[in-house]
Amino acid sequence: MSFKPSHYLTLSIFSLITCLYPFTFAQTYPFPYSSGQLNYNFYDWLCPKLPMIVRYGVLAALKDDTRMAASLLRMHFHDCFVNGCDGSLLLDDTKDFKGEKNAFPNQNSIRGYEVIDKIKGDVEKACPSTVSCVDILTLAAKEAVVQSGGNPWPVLLGRRDGLTASEKAANEQIPSPFEPLENITAKFAANGLDFKDVVVLSGAHTLGFAQCFTFKRRLFDFKGSGNPDPTLDSSLLSSLRTTCPNVDSSNTKLAPLDSTSSMFDNAFYKNLMSNAGLLESDQALMGDQRSAAMVNSYSNYPYLFNKDFGESMTKLGNIGVLTGQVGEIRKKCGFVN
């Protein structure tokens, strides 16, 4: 195999980085330098200001609304779970397809489209028709975690944007908080993610809030019993009933997903250990011996959670990516070119 001079330059830069920051790449994240046609330095020459533009765009969004960290992270997750990470969630409806924005898991729920659009506009000014919307979303999700106190992870880049979207696929493929753990695990497996990834990526619920309708049945009529969920901590039950009374008008009210909802930490897992998980699907992690053991570990070792979260996010970000001549670089994230 022959190398061009540019290959030597790229490899020497990477070697310098790993010498200066060995724990960041070599020990903490045991990933290859590239994956297919994705690599860590994809935009280094094409759009060197990209990381800074995304960083400041997310910082400005979080300054206005700390909830936006969870929203950006969730947007990335919902995009990747429908036909891969291709930015399909960002597309508006057209005469040719019904997009994913109005699918049940996303309608009146997914937030942050304007944040991605603003960052995309700034990126287009710096390097027109160069960076995909899906790469911007992937970087924004990482920045949301980092700026909320989590650890960074290296992000492979070079994804291209998809040309279509599917409301039907979004309704069928995105995990629901009402589903049993077995169903959620199957949806993860369909995307190449394993049981560990289910437990780790559930930890994203250390950020943000949930609408009352997503957990209200646990408070009043769990599984048609006429009684609350017996696994729910009694003091939390009392508090949630105040926030979410048993009337339809409370359905869109918000409750924090954990006790430190604007900080990326391991409080989510500590809550599960105390039967204080908000969502039924989250507390279900304590009902399986395998996941309960992992919850216990993450509740005691925040470093372990941060490390594993970075690894699982990298796997998530590589689901069904488009590279090379497949897809396109959208000029605006809501529309194909």
Side-chain angles (χ1 to χ4, degrees):
M1 180 178 179
S2 61
F3 285 91
K4 297 179 180 179
S6 60
H7 291 157
Y8 286 114
L9 178 59
T10 302
L11 289 172
S12 63
I13 291 173
F14 179 73
S15 299
L16 176 60
I17 292 173
T18 54
C19 287
L20 293 174
Y21 304 102
F23 294 100
T24 302
F25 289 89
Q27 295 183 24
T28 304
Y29 299 105
F31 303 127
Y33 169 55
S34 64
S35 176
Q37 296 183 55
L38 301 183
N39 69 72
Y40 298 118
N41 307 98
F42 191 88
Y43 297 110
D44 280 9
W45 306 110
L46 299 171
C47 192
K49 294 182 179 180
L50 174 63
M52 180 184 67
I53 295 172
V54 175
R55 185 171 301 120
Y56 282 111
V58 173
L59 181 65
L62 267 60
K63 186 177 180 181
D64 290 338
D65 179 5
T66 57
R67 286 177 55 210
M68 193 54 66
S71 297
L72 293 172
L73 188 56
R74 186 164 178 258
M75 185 187 294
H76 176 49
F77 180 89
H78 280 215
D79 177 50
C80 291
F81 256 68
V82 181
N83 301 324
C85 308
D86 63 352
S88 58
L89 174 59
L90 306 174
L91 288 172
D92 292 332
D93 293 350
T94 72
K95 62 181 178 61
D96 298 315
F97 62 79
K98 292 189 69 174
E100 297 161 28
K101 290 183 177 181
N102 290 313
F104 179 74
N106 301 328
Q107 188 178 39
N108 300 319
S109 176
I110 289 291
R111 309 164 63 246
Y113 297 113
E114 72 285 355
V115 175
I116 300 302
D117 287 343
K118 174 64 168 61
I119 295 172
K120 174 64 172 175
D122 292 340
V123 170
E124 283 295 305
K125 292 176 184 176
C127 28
S129 301
T130 301
V131 182
S132 65
C133 294
V134 63
D135 271 352
I136 290 172
L137 177 55
T138 305
L139 286 170
K142 184 198 77 170
E143 282 299 326
V145 170
V146 172
Q147 292 183 29
S148 300
N151 289 351
W153 60 89
V155 176
L156 289 162
L157 297 167
R159 300 167 189 79
R160 291 171 68 84
D161 296 318
L163 303 177
T164 188
S166 172
E167 181 182 69
K168 181 176 183 292
N171 282 326
E172 294 174 351
Q173 297 169 13
I174 296 173
S176 161
F178 308 110
E179 289 185 286
L181 182 59
E182 180 182 3
N183 289 20
I184 292 173
T185 301
K187 289 184 176 182
F188 271 66
N191 284 300
L193 302 174
D194 58 28
F195 189 75
K196 179 181 178 181
D197 297 315
V198 175
V199 183
V200 174
L201 293 176
S202 293
H205 289 164
T206 186
L207 291 175
F209 292 70
Q211 295 185 58
C212 291
F213 83 89
T214 62
F215 58 85
K216 190 187 285 187
R217 77 170 189 172
R218 300 186 70 199
L219 311 183
F220 301 101
D221 187 21
F222 185 59
K223 297 183 178 179
S225 66
N227 297 306
D229 184 347
T231 67
L232 186 60
D233 174 76
S234 59
S235 61
L236 178 61
L237 172 63
S238 177
S239 173
L240 291 175
R241 280 181 161 179
T242 300
T243 303
C244 306
N246 196 20
V247 291
D248 290 344
S249 59
S250 71
N251 284 347
T252 58
K253 289 186 176 181
L254 300 172
L257 281 161
D258 82 359
S259 54
T260 57
S261 59
S262 63
M263 293 178 58
F264 192 90
D265 54 24
N266 67 336
F268 168 79
Y269 296 104
K270 293 180 179 180
N271 285 358
L272 296 186
M273 295 289 292
S274 302
N275 290 324
L278 184 65
L279 300 180
E280 182 181 332
S281 56
D282 288 336
Q283 193 61 50
L285 296 175
M286 294 303 296
D288 182 286
Q289 290 184 346
R290 297 168 300 163
S291 52
M294 284 185 267
V295 169
N296 182 55
S297 294
Y298 295 141
S299 70
N300 287 307
Y301 304 105
Y303 168 79
L304 180 63
F305 167 53
N306 272 280
K307 181 184 80 69
D308 287 354
F309 189 81
E311 293 179 5
S312 289
M313 284 297 291
T314 295
K315 291 174 66 176
L316 173 70
N318 289 348
I319 295 173
V321 297
L322 306 176
T323 60
Q325 298 305 308
V326 183
E328 67 178 9
I329 305 297
R330 289 184 213 145
K331 295 180 181 179
K332 291 190 176 182
C333 294
F335 310 93
V336 296
N337 294 341

